[in-house]
Amino acid sequence: MTALLSLSGVTAFYGAIQALRGIDLTVRRGEIVTLIGANGAGKSTLMMTICGNPRARTGQILHEGQDITQWPTHRIMRRGIAQAPEGRRIFGRMTVHENLLMGAEVAGRTDIPDRLEQVFALFPRLKERMTQRGGTLSGGEQQMLAIGRALMSRPSLLLLDEPSLGLAPLVVRQIFSAIRDLNRATGLTVLLVEQNAYQALRLAHRGYVLVNGAITMAGTGAELLARPEIRAAYLEGGHA
Ligand SMILES: Nc1ncnc2c1ncn2[C@@H]1O[C@H](COP(=O)(O)OP(=O)(O)O)[C@@H](O)[C@H]1O
Ligand SMILES: [Mg+2]
């Protein structure tokens, strides 16, 4: 089976500082793959590099076999890669509805009623809040909106950067179970970045561990959860 997304030898820099050190990573169609790692490991940089900003300095990024390494971000998005970025970045003064429309617009989509229906089926709360301004939503609702906005482009690959950040455990479970439902129902492929390693590894089919800009371990979610070094570094005391 060809990979939906594959990175080989990808490096990225901020000025003279190297943030990614030769990343090899594969996401197959229909998979949920998680990338776990401590704060500052380079997780967000990896997500953003897939979207072309910062651009990979060396290495190759293939999407459905097409080399997108040098493509501008807007073209990558139109190809079907959507991101719910770290910190949500929703438009606080726009309504829920307007935020969602923006997600369709960046990808040039016109089948908006269908897209809205799918998002509201996944997150009924957003339908109830349709005319409310984004900035007045709770943290969990803002995260639903960030994911919903990304889904409006009908992506083939959804990139989620720390959806659990700052949310209460119950809300985290709701968001993660929505991601699981979506993956099962539609086969949507997801690359999920998380510091919340326990929940992420339980959700994902496979995972990678990122340390200091390099992948140090890979395996199925269950394999990684069972590894003593993962337990010691990312799990002990980290979940109830
Ligand atoms: N815009 C930036 N300019 C310079 N350095 C950055 C920038 N963004 C991130 N970094 C650095 O790159 C490294 C990786 O950061 P990041 O990808 O945000 O990690 P993570 O998402 O795993 O917490 C860190 O050392 C961080 O300080
Ligand atoms: Mg980050």
Side-chain angles (χ1 to χ4, degrees), residues 14 19 38-45 86:
Y14 295 106
N39 194 19
K43 303 182 300 299
S44 294
T45 302
E86 185 176 323

Side-chain angles (χ1 to χ4, degrees), residues 95-122:
T95 65
V96 166
H97 188 222
E98 288 163 345
N99 268 277
L100 291 172
L101 294 182
M102 291 292 287
E105 204 160 289
V106 292
R109 308 255 4 152
T110 52
D111 51 345
I112 287 171
D114 278 6
R115 311 304 308 137
L116 280 173
E117 275 318 304
Q118 196 204 9
V119 169
F120 292 150
L122 190 67

Side-chain angles (χ1 to χ4, degrees), residues 25-106:
L25 176 148
T26 302
V27 183
R28 298 186 199 99
R29 197 177 296 281
E31 274 189 319
I32 301 177
V33 172
T34 189
L35 179 71
I36 62 170
N39 194 19
K43 303 182 300 299
S44 294
T45 302
L46 181 62
M47 294 295 228
M48 294 188 296
T49 302
I50 293 167
C51 296
N53 181 31
R55 196 164 292 295
R57 184 171 294 182
T58 58
Q60 195 179 43
I61 304 174
L62 299 179
H63 178 244
E64 297 178 310
Q66 169 80 51
D67 187 340
I68 60 167
T69 320
Q70 298 302 326
W71 285 24
T73 299
H74 67 90
R75 219 177 136 204
I76 293 171
M77 294 183 140
R78 285 193 177 237
R79 212 184 139 79
I81 298 178
Q83 188 181 14
E86 185 176 323
R88 348 270 196 229
R89 309 237 194 98
I90 57 161
F91 304 105
R93 288 161 178 277
M94 290 188 184
T95 65
V96 166
H97 188 222
E98 288 163 345
N99 268 277
L100 291 172
L101 294 182
M102 291 292 287
E105 204 160 289
V106 292

